[in-house]
């Protein structure tokens, strides 16, 4: 167990995995996501300019309510374009359907000291009161539940195809 205290070199670990494990296993779970540029305001990963962290909110949408959810995000994107960044992916396969990932770039945990970090907060900041109520109503009727987590970007563990 003490070996867990020592960092593994990613290249050596990948080579070891390819030799000792990969030939004997099959991928059991994989998500497939599609970028939805019209629903967001940024494409940092695709532009090869990732933030050091990302707050990722997975929105699980009620069946039959994807059009309402997408409409809410389109209105939000139009209102905050140029002042707030977020990227949206639709989950095509893997996990509960329908689902979307909404990613907000973050440069560190200090962001959370001064800001409420939620889709609702972004709507309240970015839209006047009446449009905000309309968008929040669309979301409340379309989102079954949401899950938030923070991802840390590590260039040495990331593959950005040419």
């Amino acid at each position: 167990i003490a070996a867990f205290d020592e960092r593994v070199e990613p290249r050596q670990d990948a080579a070891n995995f390819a030799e000792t494990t990969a030939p004997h296993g099959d991928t059991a779970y994989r998500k497939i996501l599609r970028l939805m540029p019209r629903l967001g305001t940024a494409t940092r990963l695709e532009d090869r300019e990732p933030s050091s962290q990302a707050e990722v909110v997975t929105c699980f949408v009620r069946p039959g309510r994807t059009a309402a959810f997408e409409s809410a995000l389109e209105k939000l994107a139009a209102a905050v374009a140029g002042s707030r960044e977020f990227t949206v992916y639709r989950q095509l396969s893997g996990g509960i359907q329908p689902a979307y990932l909404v990613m907000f770039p973050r440069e560190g945990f200090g962001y959370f000291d001064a800001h409420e970090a939620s889709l609702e907060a972004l709507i309240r900041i970015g839209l006047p009161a009446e449009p905000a109520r309309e968008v929040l109503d669309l979301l409340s009727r379309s989102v079954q539940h949401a899950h938030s987590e923070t991802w840390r970007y590590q260039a040495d563990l990331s593959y950005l195809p040419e």
Side-chain angles (χ1 to χ4, degrees):
I1 293 178
F4 286 119
D5 293 329
E6 296 179 27
R7 301 290 314 235
V8 174
E9 291 294 325
R11 285 193 177 118
Q12 292 171 340
D13 189 42
N16 178 270
F17 176 82
E19 181 182 327
T20 62
T21 306
H24 308 289
D26 293 318
T27 301
Y29 179 77
R30 178 172 297 181
K31 284 186 181 183
I32 299 173
L33 305 171
R34 173 181 291 148
L35 175 66
M36 304 294 286
R38 69 183 171 80
L39 303 181
T41 61
T43 53
R44 283 201 173 196
L45 289 175
E46 293 75 14
D47 296 338
R48 291 173 167 64
E49 297 175 2
S51 56
S52 64
Q53 294 179 345
E55 178 188 351
V56 180
V57 179
T58 303
C59 296
F60 300 95
V61 177
R62 296 178 193 285
R65 300 296 300 164
T66 57
F69 179 77
E70 289 187 6
S71 175
L73 289 183
E74 283 180 324
K75 290 176 183 188
L76 177 59
V80 302
S83 66
R84 302 275 195 252
E85 289 184 292
F86 66 98
T87 307
V88 179
Y89 300 89
R90 182 169 184 174
Q91 184 175 300
L92 301 179
S93 180
I96 298 169
Q97 295 288 335
Y100 293 77
L101 268 69
V102 183
M103 297 178 68
F104 302 92
R106 302 288 184 245
E107 293 306 329
F109 289 110
Y111 177 89
F112 297 99
D113 286 336
H115 301 88
E116 181 184 338
S118 71
L119 198 51
E120 182 176 345
L122 181 60
I123 292 165
R124 292 192 189 284
I125 291 167
L127 294 170
E130 187 52 40
R133 276 192 291 277
E134 180 185 328
V135 170
L136 287 169
D137 184 57
L138 282 172
L139 287 177
S140 71
R141 289 185 285 122
S142 60
V143 176
Q144 190 163 359
H145 67 277
H147 172 81
S148 175
E149 57 190 316
T150 302
W151 294 355
R152 185 171 157 225
Y153 177 75
Q154 286 192 239
D156 61 330
L157 298 178
S158 299
Y159 173 67
L160 296 175
E162 294 301 321

